[in-house]
Amino acid sequence: MKRIAVLTSGGDSPGMNAAIRAIVRTGISAGAEVIGVRHGYQGLVEGDFTLMDASSVSGIINQGGTILHSARSQAFRTPEGFQQAVDHLRAAGIEGLVVIGGNGSQTGNHALYTRASFPTVGVASTIDNDLYGTDYTIGFDTAVNTALESIDRLRDTATSHDRIFVIEVMGRSRGFLALHVGIAGGAEVVLLPEIPWTIEQVKRTLDAGYRRGKKSFLMVVAEGAARGEEFARQVEEATGYETRATVLGHVQRGGSPTAADRVLASQLGSAAVKLLLDGEHGVLVGEQHHCITTTPLADAWSHDKPLDPEMLDLVRVLGA
Ligand code: F6P
């Protein structure tokens, strides 16, 4: 393989730039040309390509976001758009593609691999950490720490005013971020999209805490489990306790990646290029039990990554 390409797709995550840097520099050192595709799959549909040299990725390892830009392309989902994407790849002489992104992005990647027989490799990157085939995705550690910084500040004011605070974090369908943030922030209640909850249960937990002498509470909710403002109103109505809500939103997606995310991105990006050049295609590169591993893309996007039941238990026991 003499020419490969890289794109970033879906919600951006801190560390994507570090992965791009690793892909470009590993590719060049192996004697390949590396093409950057701008705006994710939309850039494939439109043929928005740029040749990247080693210096084009200088000074980006510490930057959040993605220098290649990202998008959620509707056009790529249509048969015509898909064909245009394949035609552009072939016309540009690109022989292999690395897709940096989360679940949706790896679904598109799998389609290129199976429907167009195009050699691809996926790199697991999303703040949601919801990809099967990797313990951690690029950006998750940074997002947890970003949210945690806000939660620590909210604890100060919650304690001063003897209030309940609801903190809504990202995660439409999965609660990995909320679970980690909740444990790290010492939250009394954590609501996840995967676990049904009732306001009566929440009230019981709060009442028990008050009886033991607690005066303030932090509740972390994934956006897919409850909307922060609405949930805070419900809690105040059900309990009579003063409750405030903070929605962290997209701040969780930005910022300079942590050391852990930079290292993970460098390892996964570099491994992806080696796999592509060695002829191992149609796989997601991830990290499991501290080793770099591969998982068939077919499994990565179609299997649900399980939540760790022991982590769920920790919330209950430690938040008491
Ligand atoms: O998948 C990453 C993510 O940040 C989710 O946690 C969130 O629900 C979603 O993207 C938000 O997407 P958008 O930026 O398109 O509103």
Side-chain angles (χ1 to χ4, degrees):
M1 242 179 228
K2 283 280 157 234
R3 184 177 285 183
I4 62 173
V6 52
L7 64 80
T8 49
S9 162
D12 59 351
S13 65
M16 277 183 160
N17 279 329
I20 295 169
R21 172 177 176 271
I23 288 160
V24 170
R25 294 204 171 154
T26 305
I28 290 171
S29 87
E33 273 184 347
V34 184
I35 307 291
V37 181
R38 295 194 195 90
H39 299 286
Y41 289 108
Q42 192 59 32
L44 280 189
V45 174
E46 294 170 6
D48 190 357
F49 300 156
T50 179
L51 180 64
M52 304 188 78
D53 60 18
S55 63
S56 68
V57 291
S58 288
I60 64 167
I61 195 164
N62 58 331
Q63 287 175 18
T66 157
I67 58 164
L68 288 175
H69 300 261
S70 192
R72 301 190 197 273
S73 172
Q74 291 309 319
F76 181 72
R77 293 167 197 263
T78 66
E80 301 75 34
F82 182 83
Q83 194 51 52
Q84 277 167 5
V86 176
D87 291 347
H88 277 131
L89 279 167
R90 298 222 161 103
I94 294 166
E95 297 164 284
L97 173 70
V98 181
V99 172
I100 306 171
N103 228 320
S105 309
Q106 303 308 339
T107 312
N109 189 0
H110 185 238
L112 275 175
Y113 177 65
T114 50
R115 280 166 50 200
S117 302
F118 200 85
T120 64
V121 172
V123 168
S125 182
T126 161
I127 67 158
D128 293 339
N129 198 28
D130 60 347
L131 257 175
Y132 180 86
T134 191
D135 292 342
Y136 294 104
T137 52
I138 298 166
F140 177 66
D141 185 63
T142 308
V144 169
N145 281 289
T146 302
L148 192 59
E149 199 183 314
S150 300
I151 287 180
D152 287 348
R153 289 165 198 258
L154 292 169
R155 180 179 287 286
D156 292 344
T157 178
T159 310
S160 305
H161 284 262
D162 296 337
R163 277 176 175 160
I164 299 172
F165 263 85
V166 172
I167 302 111
E168 181 193 305
V169 300
M170 278 190 156
R172 270 192 294 234
S173 52
R174 301 306 311 271
F176 295 99
L177 187 58
L179 186 55
H180 278 248
V181 164
I183 290 173
E188 278 76 19
V189 174
V190 177
L191 299 186
L192 311 176
E194 298 90 338
I195 316 272
W197 58 273
T198 64
I199 195 68
E200 290 74 27
Q201 275 172 349
V202 173
K203 181 174 163 18
R204 273 199 297 278
T205 306
L206 295 175
D207 285 341
Y210 276 105
R211 277 199 300 277
R212 282 194 310 278
K214 276 193 189 238
K215 300 234 177 330
S216 63
F217 295 82
L218 295 182
M219 302 205 275
V220 173
V221 303
E223 62 181 325
R227 298 320 301 237
E229 301 276 357
E230 170 58 24
F231 178 59
R233 259 194 304 277
Q234 266 181 287
V235 170
E236 197 166 272
E237 212 174 277
T239 63
Y241 305 133
E242 197 172 28
T243 309
R244 295 284 187 273
T246 298
V247 177
L248 296 185
H250 286 77
V251 295
Q252 294 158 99
R253 288 240 296 260
S256 181
T258 58
D261 273 331
R262 295 182 201 191
V263 172
L264 181 65
S266 301
Q267 289 178 306
L268 299 190
S270 187
V273 171
K274 288 180 188 153
L275 287 164
L276 208 50
L277 300 181
D278 288 350
E280 189 176 341
H281 308 143
V283 292
L284 176 83
V285 193
E287 188 211 64
Q288 291 172 298
H289 309 295
H290 305 290
C291 294
I292 304 303
T293 58
T294 57
T295 301
L297 283 171
D299 295 340
W301 74 266
S302 63
H303 287 38
D304 274 345
K305 177 162 151 180
L307 281 174
D308 181 350
E310 288 184 17
M311 293 278 279
L312 292 170
D313 231 38
L314 266 186
V315 174
R316 202 178 41 76
V317 175
L318 302 185

